[in-house]
Amino acid sequence: MKKKIVIALGLVLVIIQFFRIDKENPSYEMENDFIMITNPPELVKGILKNSCYDCHSFETKYPWYTNVAPVSWWIKHHINEGRDELNFSEWATFELKRKNHKLDEIVEMVEEGEMPMSSYTWMHSEARLTDEQKTALINWTKSLQ
Ligand code: HEC
């Protein structure tokens, strides 16, 4: 019985590998991009690219484990949700009110340590923010308002 369950589970794991996520980044206009428009200092630019752009832009980089279901489905879900909430690649298309609201949210999320998501920094230790990086990002974001 036990052996049968193990074999069945193994089969399920093999079969779900055929359900791959779409890893093609949609095309976007560089002139709509947040970094292009706001031109932050190198430090802040690096933070945004390293810690936020994988989920909040159309410039997502997909590491090897995004080939492995069901982890890949879970990651893709975060990327879709992140882009829905705030897509830096479409910044120029936001209304002024939405832009200001998102800037507020960035400050809040980073202050509270909610972003970058901990499930992300668990695999991407380079995306973890030091206190200095947080302060730099927060102060710069506030200066845009
Ligand atoms: C692993 C993917 C991921 C990364 C990396 C990530 N985010 Fe998010 N972000 C999400 C998801 C998913 C949501 C929506 C759900 C939630 O709020 O938890 C979100 C929500 C947000 C929101 C809220 C938008 C709103 O209006 O409510 C802001 C602001 C935000 N993220 C900023 C950032 C910043 C800044 C970084 C980098 C320092 C970052 N995120 C890194 C996935 C991510």
Side-chain angles (χ1 to χ4, degrees):
M1 185 62 189
K2 225 177 181 178
K3 202 169 155 197
K4 274 189 183 156
I5 293 174
V6 173
I7 291 173
L9 273 177
L11 264 176
V12 168
L13 272 177
V14 169
I15 290 164
I16 65 175
Q17 299 315 314
F18 289 97
F19 297 86
R20 304 179 74 83
I21 58 167
D22 179 6
K23 291 203 273 185
E24 184 148 11
N25 277 322
S27 63
Y28 60 95
E29 305 284 334
M30 209 54 205
E31 67 215 37
N32 289 342
D33 175 64
F34 183 63
I35 290 178
M36 275 295 277
I37 292 169
T38 55
N39 194 23
E42 281 305 311
L43 175 67
V44 172
K45 186 174 160 184
I47 296 171
L48 289 168
K49 286 267 180 184
N50 281 333
S51 305
C52 318
Y53 262 52
D54 271 347
C55 302
H56 289 290
S57 82
F58 287 147
E59 294 180 57
T60 308
K61 292 190 203 81
Y62 292 90
W64 65 266
Y65 47 83
T66 57
N67 288 322
V68 185
V71 181
S72 53
W73 303 341
W74 179 72
I75 292 172
K76 186 70 188 182
H77 174 72
H78 280 158
I79 296 170
N80 288 341
E81 214 188 340
R83 285 174 177 168
D84 276 351
E85 289 282 344
L86 169 61
N87 189 340
F88 286 125
S89 302
E90 299 183 322
W91 182 256
T93 67
F94 295 0
E95 308 247 337
L96 184 63
K97 203 173 146 204
R98 180 150 191 240
K99 282 183 180 149
N100 284 331
H101 174 65
K102 295 297 166 189
L103 293 174
D104 280 343
E105 291 281 346
I106 293 173
V107 171
E108 202 180 306
M109 291 287 181
V110 174
E111 260 171 1
E112 287 169 5
E114 283 194 40
M115 289 287 150
M117 291 176 84
S118 51
S119 58
Y120 178 79
T121 50
W122 186 60
M123 289 305 279
H124 294 255
S125 54
E126 78 289 349
R128 261 178 227 145
L129 300 182
T130 63
D131 285 344
E132 289 86 68
Q133 285 176 312
K134 281 186 195 169
T135 310
L137 178 57
I138 290 169
N139 288 344
W140 175 79
T141 306
K142 283 182 176 165
S143 77
L144 292 175
Q145 287 168 303

